[in-house]
Amino acid sequence: MSALEPRDAGTDTGTAVPAAMSTPPVESEGVLGRTYRALSVGIVSVVFLIAFEATAVGTAMPVAARELHGIPLYAFAFSAYFTTSLFAMVLSGQWADRRGPLAPLATGISAFGAGLLLSGTAGSMWMFIAGRAVQGLGGGLVIVALYVVISRAYPERLRPSIMAAFAASWVIPSVVGPLAAGSVTEHLGWRWVFIGIPVLVVFPLALALPAIRRRASGPADPAAPVEPYDRRRIVLALGISVGAGLLQYAGQERNWFALLPAVVGVALLVPAVRGLLPPGTGRAARGLPSVVLLRGVAAGSFIAAESFVPLMLVTERGLSPTLAGLSLAAGGGTWALGSYVQSRPRLEPYRERLMVGGMVLVAAAIAAAPSVLIDAVPVWTVAVAWAFGCFGMGMVIASTSVLLLKLSAPEEAGANSAALQISDGLSNVLLLAAGGAAFAALGGGTVGAVHEAVEAGVSGSHPGAFAVVFLPMAGVALVGAWVAGRVRAKA
């Protein structure tokens, strides 16, 4: 689960300058007031679609990987999405800044659906991963375009509320998604989960696009000359995507020949990261750099761990895909609750403390998850732990979005928004690569044969392969608690 992003003076993404409105908004109106209702419902519907896809696909993924004989490449199925989305985020920012968010949003949703269809009809794991990469292009376009819409159309007082609404849109998919996907996977096959979801694209498009066209379409200043695309930033974005992909590949190969793509990947990543993220991000400088870094630390550690939860429950504890997916279902509600908590005006002075506490909860949840590798520990332990972790994530992720817009000047909001999402996506890729490499190195590539091995009277379990994913990610989350204490700029 992730929130979403916006303009740089001639260099990047959205803008905080509201588009012209036919009717002035009433000062006391909320996000569902007459002025904002259609827009709010439309963009929340888009997030609802993304949420449903994430929960449904996560449930079907273990079965898909096993049937395509791709368990050793399991982490690629997730990281391919994030890798291509890194490039799309920068492209979307510049596109939306110069032409408005309507076109990148519509294009992104279309690519999102096309990627699902490609994965659903894949005959091999690599084709499946290619579909996930196309999805990532769509997701990257959508997520930044939505932030452009927020920065143009909503005043600062309403932004915490719309972020909370985004989180709330995960509640129903978190419950219905695993149930629906698990049922379809067990009775019709995993392919129908991927092929069926694109049908849901029609409703968000029909609802969101007209409202966005009315309130946030076109350039921010129609009278100003259109700035040319910043080719340097686009090249850096391409470098960050290719570099991350090469590191992921090198981590999976685990041989001397993999050193070459690893070195090339680092050579591409370092200058790209330095050019696209705010100065001081790597050393957690106070204020905006720590906000951007925290987003990556929180999202990367949590997503890398969460990606392996269904696989662990299916292969190590024998749960069905439906039950494995439902183990994460309560997290949608607690994530929304955490996001709601951070949106309360009276808690604004304590935002930093909320974020520190949220990261501690995330670390505890990730550390508790592999306890179910011990047969005596009830499997519902994961559900309880993940509910607390998602509550922490709800407070942290929404708060980073709110603080980013608060700390950004209007002409910098786009570049900073893209930086926030790049930090999010890059951290997901790198930590998934690290977790996937450790998982494969400890025998994780053979976990798909667990059931067959058990029937033959041989233990096919590899609990260490899962523990080596979860425990380091818990440590990363603890580092995030320290970073969260540095998000306030010095007075």
Side-chain angles (χ1 to χ4, degrees):
M1 307 177 196
S2 181
L4 320 194
E5 288 95 11
R7 163 168 181 172
D8 187 359
T11 59
D12 217 69
T13 17
T15 176
V17 179
M21 295 176 286
S22 58
T23 304
V26 178
E27 183 64 26
S28 60
E29 271 191 298
V31 294
L32 291 179
R34 186 164 60 92
T35 303
Y36 304 103
R37 185 182 302 125
L39 179 63
S40 297
V41 173
I43 62 176
V44 169
S45 297
V46 173
V47 178
F48 181 92
L49 168 66
I50 295 172
F52 187 84
E53 181 274 340
T55 54
V57 167
T59 300
M61 196 77 78
V63 178
R66 190 161 57 195
E67 289 192 8
L68 292 173
H69 307 290
I71 290 291
L73 301 174
Y74 186 76
F76 265 125
F78 291 93
S79 62
Y81 179 99
F82 298 115
T83 299
T84 55
S85 70
L86 292 170
F87 173 74
M89 287 168 190
V90 174
L91 177 62
S92 178
Q94 297 201 31
W95 189 358
D97 195 31
R98 288 151 181 78
R99 303 295 181 185
L102 195 62
L105 185 63
T107 303
I109 293 177
S110 300
F112 195 78
L116 283 165
L117 290 174
L118 183 58
S119 290
T121 56
S124 68
M125 190 63 179
W126 282 113
M127 186 60 68
F128 181 88
I129 291 169
R132 293 287 291 165
V134 174
Q135 264 190 272
L137 287 171
L141 291 172
V142 168
I143 203 167
V144 175
L146 283 177
Y147 262 99
V148 177
V149 173
I150 293 170
S151 67
R152 289 189 183 188
Y154 293 91
E156 184 177 339
R157 66 181 179 84
L158 291 181
R159 290 172 188 166
S161 296
I162 196 64
M163 295 299 178
F166 283 168
S169 67
W170 281 79
V171 176
I172 294 176
S174 294
V175 177
V176 176
L179 277 173
S183 180
V184 170
T185 299
E186 292 174 25
H187 295 97
L188 298 177
W190 64 268
R191 294 182 185 276
W192 287 101
V193 174
F194 290 83
I195 294 172
I197 290 177
V199 176
L200 302 177
V201 169
V202 177
F203 177 72
L205 278 176
L207 196 60
L209 297 188
I212 293 171
R213 183 180 292 111
R214 290 193 299 269
R215 295 191 55 80
S217 63
D221 184 359
V226 178
E227 295 283 349
Y229 284 87
D230 187 339
R231 295 183 180 179
R232 174 180 170 275
R233 292 185 68 84
I234 293 177
V235 170
L236 289 175
L238 183 60
I240 210 171
S241 294
V242 174
L246 288 172
L247 280 180
Q248 170 76 0
Y249 173 79
Q252 290 291 130
E253 288 301 302
R254 307 186 321 279
N255 56 48
W256 289 107
F257 295 104
L259 284 177
L260 178 60
V263 170
V264 175
V266 171
L268 290 171
L269 272 179
V270 172
V273 169
R274 290 173 62 88
L276 294 173
L277 300 187
T281 299
R283 55 184 173 85
R286 285 194 172 274
L288 183 64
S290 285
V291 172
V292 172
L293 178 60
L294 176 61
R295 179 59 164 263
V297 170
S301 60
F302 189 81
I303 295 300
E306 185 179 59
S307 299
F308 284 86
V309 169
L311 184 67
M312 177 176 66
L313 295 177
V314 168
T315 59
E316 299 297 312
R317 295 300 297 265
L319 268 65
S320 68
T322 303
L323 289 177
L326 281 175
S327 67
L328 307 177
T334 57
W335 189 302
L337 180 60
S339 188
Y340 172 80
V341 168
Q342 67 79 37
S343 73
R344 298 302 85 200
R346 67 178 180 273
L347 293 179
E348 176 61 31
Y350 309 103
R351 186 175 295 280
E352 182 178 320
R353 296 182 187 177
L354 290 175
M355 297 171 78
V356 172
M359 287 310 303
V360 171
L361 286 175
V362 171
I366 296 174
S371 64
V372 299
L373 293 169
I374 302 171
D375 289 339
V377 176
V379 291
W380 50 259
T381 301
V382 170
V384 174
W386 227 246
F388 280 100
C390 286
F391 179 77
M393 285 293 287
M395 291 192 293
V396 172
I397 295 299
S399 289
T400 57
S401 299
V402 171
L403 282 175
L404 177 112
L405 294 177
K406 184 177 182 179
L407 295 172
S408 300
E411 67 275 11
E412 297 173 338
N416 292 340
S417 297
L420 190 75
Q421 290 296 342
I422 288 169
S423 177
D424 186 319
L426 179 61
S427 179
N428 283 328
V429 172
L430 295 181
L431 291 180
L432 273 168
F439 177 74
L442 269 72
T446 63
V447 299
V450 166
H451 299 301
E452 292 84 348
V454 169
E455 290 177 2
V458 179
S459 175
S461 180
H462 291 277
F466 289 99
V468 81
V469 172
F470 288 97
L471 298 183
M473 295 308 159
V476 173
L478 277 179
V479 172
W482 173 76
V483 176
R486 301 176 60 81
V487 296
R488 292 283 188 185
K490 288 185 178 179

